Amino acid sequence: MWASRGCGSPVFWACRKTCTQFVVRCLPNRSVPAPIDIREIAKRARVSTATVSRAINRVPTVDPQLAKRVWKVVDELGYFPNTQARALVSGKSRIFGLIVSEITNPFFPEIVQTFEDLAVENNYEILLTSTVHDPRRMESSVRRMIERRVDGVAILTFGMEESLLDHPHFRKVPLVFVDVGPNAPGVSNIRINYESGIRQAVQHLAALRHVRIAFVAGPTVLRSALARRAAFKQSMTEIGLDPDLVIEGDHTMEGGMRALVELVNLRNPPTAVMCSNDMTAIGVMREAYDCGLTIPRDLSVVGFDDIRLAQFMIPPLTTVQMSQTELAKIAFHALLGETTRKIHVPGKTDYPLITSLVLRRSTALAPAQNGRLKPAGTSV
């Protein structure tokens, strides 16, 4: 009677005690396979469990032939190591944390992709979080990193980094910062030379006879944005041009659009605009179209970052390149180097990253109309 009703029958749930016996009778020939562990792998590969452990953890001193036998059995059995248990035993999770500002910002995907590619090549995983410039999200990111016992963290947020140093756990793992790394053991600091590329951009515009050059700055809460503004003003001063035509922006396309509206309404508007990032420059180009301005005939535009989208703009955007691929490579290899370092240095380690101008087609000779920006429909 029981067998005909099946395990979904209401009677099954009505009588738990009987049903326990019934389940056993229903599945007389099924057996739960024993979990696969390194002892089973060692037995089949005819090696010791210690050799299996070292092979799986890719210890370089393992005999290549033995490692090959181990991995052959691992593949045959479909074995996946318990990474949490391995971390408890070895003290290493083989996980690197990566914290960025906004995953939707076109500046970051190439960084994430390069960082992950390097992690896979080196048998690491990455734990990725984004802060969206929110301190509460930063705290959540920190908590997740701590819970997963990461081996190191690359903080590529270009702001808000200092809060990480308040967490005792993070003082014990390698950290990578951009520009703001404190002078402490285990800290790597990627020092970006903003002056190099921005000086090239300013001199390029000056060579095209631009005298009124505006700068659309980034958020004042970001040290990187302040550094770019300072580099622009210094470069302008060096060649005797007015460095004070600076408009506050927010590193968004919308901010770039608002900035250009403000600039074209000036009594003496600029003939060239340099922007603190490419997203701002794209916004400037979009608003220029709405204003009836032709780039670069009426207005020259220069960005900063050289995101992939820049080369596909119409016209292609001249910009200062801060290589996202190189940034990710430096960050990853700095973490990897710190985790394998035998003797720790007493202070931080600096890694330079040079910026440079990439010439495309968004700049040209300054307009001849007394240096004035003339939107369509404006009388002379």
Side-chain angles (χ1 to χ4, degrees):
M1 178 181 71
W2 282 101
S4 65
R5 298 197 178 192
C7 293
S9 167
V11 180
F12 176 86
W13 298 105
C15 189
R16 296 182 184 176
K17 199 166 185 179
T18 306
C19 287
T20 301
Q21 299 170 352
F22 166 68
V23 170
V24 174
R25 293 191 192 106
C26 274
L27 306 171
N29 297 321
R30 291 191 184 181
S31 60
V32 178
I36 301 169
D37 57 21
I38 64 171
R39 287 170 295 190
E40 179 64 22
I41 294 172
K43 178 181 176 182
R44 298 195 185 200
R46 303 188 306 283
V47 297
S48 68
T49 56
T51 298
V52 173
S53 177
R54 291 198 301 271
I56 289 175
N57 285 287
R58 302 184 189 276
V59 176
T61 56
V62 178
D63 182 277
Q65 292 301 320
L66 296 181
K68 185 176 180 180
R69 274 163 45 187
V70 169
W71 280 107
K72 183 174 184 295
V73 173
V74 165
D75 291 339
E76 289 173 352
L77 296 179
Y79 172 75
F80 293 93
N82 186 326
T83 55
Q84 292 181 332
R86 184 171 63 187
L88 289 173
V89 173
S90 67
K92 298 289 185 182
S93 65
R94 299 198 72 83
I95 299 173
F96 282 150
L98 177 59
I99 303 177
V100 300
S101 302
E102 296 176 89
I103 197 63
T104 56
N105 185 327
F107 177 77
F108 289 106
E110 190 169 343
I111 290 177
V112 174
Q113 185 66 64
T114 302
F115 197 92
E116 184 181 28
D117 289 345
L118 291 169
V120 171
E121 289 174 13
N122 290 273
N123 195 32
Y124 270 82
E125 299 176 42
I126 68 168
L127 180 59
L128 172 66
T129 63
S130 61
T131 65
V132 199
H133 304 289
D134 183 349
R136 290 173 299 179
R137 287 281 292 269
M138 175 62 86
E139 291 300 316
S140 174
S141 298
V142 170
R143 188 165 54 251
R144 289 178 61 196
M145 301 291 179
I146 294 173
E147 289 170 354
R148 293 292 296 274
R149 298 178 179 271
V150 295
D151 291 342
V153 185
I155 305 104
L156 308 182
T157 54
F158 295 85
M160 300 168 56
E161 298 92 342
E162 292 86 347
S163 64
L164 292 178
L165 299 176
D166 296 331
H167 294 265
H169 175 78
F170 272 78
R171 298 172 192 163
K172 301 176 183 178
V173 300
L175 299 173
V176 174
F177 294 90
V178 176
D179 291 328
V180 298
N183 190 24
V187 170
S188 299
N189 187 56
I190 302 175
R191 182 72 63 184
I192 298 175
N193 186 335
Y194 297 104
E195 293 82 3
S196 175
I198 290 176
R199 181 179 291 112
Q200 290 174 34
V202 168
Q203 292 177 351
H204 166 67
L205 292 172
L208 293 173
R209 303 177 188 172
H210 292 278
V211 177
R212 291 279 288 170
I213 304 172
F215 185 75
V216 183
T220 56
V221 296
L222 297 183
R223 293 193 185 184
S224 59
L226 294 176
R228 296 173 199 188
R229 180 204 296 246
F232 170 79
K233 298 188 78 168
Q234 178 182 336
S235 299
M236 291 285 284
T237 301
E238 288 174 352
I239 58 176
L241 296 181
D242 179 9
D244 295 325
L245 186 49
V246 177
I247 303 294
E248 297 297 331
D250 58 8
H251 278 179
T252 67
M253 290 184 287
E254 293 79 7
M257 295 175 72
R258 290 190 296 269
L260 187 63
V261 170
E262 187 174 344
L263 288 170
V264 297
N265 287 317
L266 293 176
R267 183 175 181 180
N268 186 18
T271 59
V273 178
M274 184 168 183
C275 301
S276 186
N277 74 343
D278 286 344
M279 297 299 285
T280 300
I282 291 170
V284 167
M285 295 174 76
R286 174 66 175 80
E287 185 63 29
Y289 175 82
D290 284 350
C291 290
L293 298 171
T294 300
I295 294 174
R297 185 191 66 195
D298 301 321
L299 179 69
S300 289
V301 180
V302 179
F304 190 103
D305 285 337
D306 194 25
I307 61 175
R308 181 169 170 74
L309 183 60
Q311 62 187 301
F312 297 104
M313 294 300 297
I314 301 177
L317 178 64
T318 291
T319 186
V320 175
Q321 182 185 73
M322 181 171 67
S323 173
Q324 295 102 70
T325 299
E326 190 62 25
L327 185 66
K329 287 180 178 179
I330 293 173
F332 183 86
H333 288 300
L335 288 180
L336 193 62
E338 284 295 332
T339 59
T340 57
R341 192 191 293 271
K342 300 296 182 183
I343 301 175
H344 293 287
V345 295
K348 67 179 178 180
T349 303
D350 280 327
Y351 296 88
L353 180 62
I354 305 298
T355 59
S356 59
L357 183 65
V358 177
L359 290 175
R360 296 197 178 101
R361 285 180 280 173
S362 63
T363 57
L365 283 170
Q369 297 174 325
N370 298 321
R372 296 289 300 275
L373 185 62
K374 296 292 183 183
T378 302
S379 59
V380 178

